[in-house]
Amino acid sequence: SAVISQKPSRDICQRGTSLTIQCQVDSQVTMMFWYRQQPGQSLTLIATANQGSEATYESGFVIDKFPISRPNLTFSTLTVSNMSPEDSSIYLCSVEGLAGDTGELFFGEGSRLTVL
Amino acid sequence: AQTVTQSQPEMSVQEAETVTLSCTYDTSESDYYLFWYKQPPSRQMILVIRQEAYKQQNATENRFSVNFQKAAKSFSLKISDSQLGDAAMYFCAYRSGWGAQKLVFGQGTRLTINP
């Protein structure tokens, strides 16, 4: 398994500002995934981040709104830019398992953002 | 594109009883994984059980078991001897054995345990 730490755990933000969420993994992983969970909804993939290359964004998500960095194999950041109340969500970082390909993804505890 | 459907937004069960959560999925792939994740109010996503598509035997993990019907593309979760700590949102998820290997989630089922 992988231990994933996300910061901040929660934050209250003002409309029009930007916030960067950090994801730290306790071991090296190839792919990291960023998900969004809007209130009462399921998880939707924002983008997949590989070290040393541009993140791959899902339909409906763009780099200008959700820039992602992946400077090394244990760390990634997701920025939510020019926030509006519609961006109020839980943002979750996830990674693959390490001991062989068991298929599942492991998740951080999520970052709950509230935009006023 | 793969889709996952959970048709039960909410379910409730008496403590110590058995409950089954439904999940169907759509894919043209032959190599994939299926999962049930649990999300309690703490919002941490916790893996409950996994199933590899190539395995005919249904996966079991203690009180949790699945009924995997590959031809019908059905993947239900059975929770036996329900406990208060089982109360959570349950998400069914699909992961391709190829490519970017993202998880595709169903809409979720909120499970309530009545004491």
Side-chain angles (χ1 to χ4, degrees):
Chain A
S1 64
V3 177
I4 305 168
S5 301
Q6 276 188 242
K7 293 180 180 179
S9 176
R10 61 178 62 224
D11 207 339
I12 299 174
C13 309
Q14 295 300 316
R15 182 195 302 259
T17 63
S18 298
L19 183 79
T20 296
I21 302 166
Q22 299 179 2
C23 179
Q24 179 74 53
V25 188
D26 66 344
S27 51
Q28 294 181 341
V29 294
T30 304
M31 285 189 287
M32 297 178 77
F33 303 88
W34 286 98
Y35 283 85
R36 180 177 74 179
Q37 186 178 25
Q38 294 177 301
Q41 302 296 314
S42 185
L43 283 75
T44 301
L45 182 67
I46 298 172
T48 302
N50 289 330
Q51 192 267 335
S53 63
E54 292 280 333
T56 302
Y57 288 82
E58 296 296 301
S59 176
F61 297 96
V62 296
I63 188 172
D64 289 346
K65 176 67 175 177
F66 297 101
I68 289 171
S69 78
R70 183 78 202 275
N72 57 53
L73 291 173
T74 63
F75 187 78
S76 178
T77 66
L78 169 75
T79 299
V80 186
S81 303
N82 188 25
M83 287 184 285
S84 67
E86 293 71 33
D87 294 319
S88 297
S89 296
I90 299 171
Y91 293 86
L92 299 107
C93 170
S94 71
V95 304
E96 294 180 285
L98 302 174
D101 186 10
T102 54
E104 73 263 31
L105 296 187
F106 296 92
F107 288 82
E109 293 186 348
S111 300
R112 182 187 296 273
L113 302 187
T114 302
V115 185
L116 304 177
Chain B
Q2 294 81 24
T3 59
V4 178
T5 302
Q6 293 178 247
S7 59
Q8 306 155 315
E10 297 183 353
M11 292 283 284
S12 64
V13 64
Q14 290 295 126
E15 192 175 4
E17 297 294 308
T18 295
V19 64
T20 298
L21 308 184
S22 301
C23 172
T24 59
Y25 60 96
D26 188 25
T27 184
S28 58
E29 298 176 332
S30 59
D31 183 19
Y32 55 87
Y33 304 91
L34 296 165
F35 307 92
W36 280 96
Y37 281 86
K38 167 185 176 181
Q39 187 181 42
S42 67
R43 72 178 183 261
Q44 175 81 54
M45 294 289 286
I46 301 166
L47 177 69
V48 175
I49 197 164
R50 81 168 70 82
Q51 176 81 42
E52 291 90 338
Y54 69 86
K55 290 186 177 179
Q56 294 184 339
Q57 186 173 7
N58 289 325
T60 62
E61 287 287 343
N62 300 314
R63 299 182 294 108
F64 299 88
S65 61
V66 298
N67 184 2
F68 174 46
Q69 300 291 325
K70 189 172 184 179
K73 296 179 182 175
S74 171
F75 184 63
S76 62
L77 174 70
K78 185 172 79 172
I79 305 174
S80 303
D81 185 24
S82 298
Q83 301 176 0
L84 294 177
D86 295 333
M89 283 291 290
Y90 285 81
F91 293 97
C92 179
Y94 172 101
R95 191 179 189 209
S96 172
W98 303 92
Q101 302 177 322
K102 65 182 180 182
L103 274 176
V104 177
F105 287 90
Q107 302 91 326
T109 298
R110 181 174 300 280
L111 179 63
T112 301
I113 312 296
N114 300 313

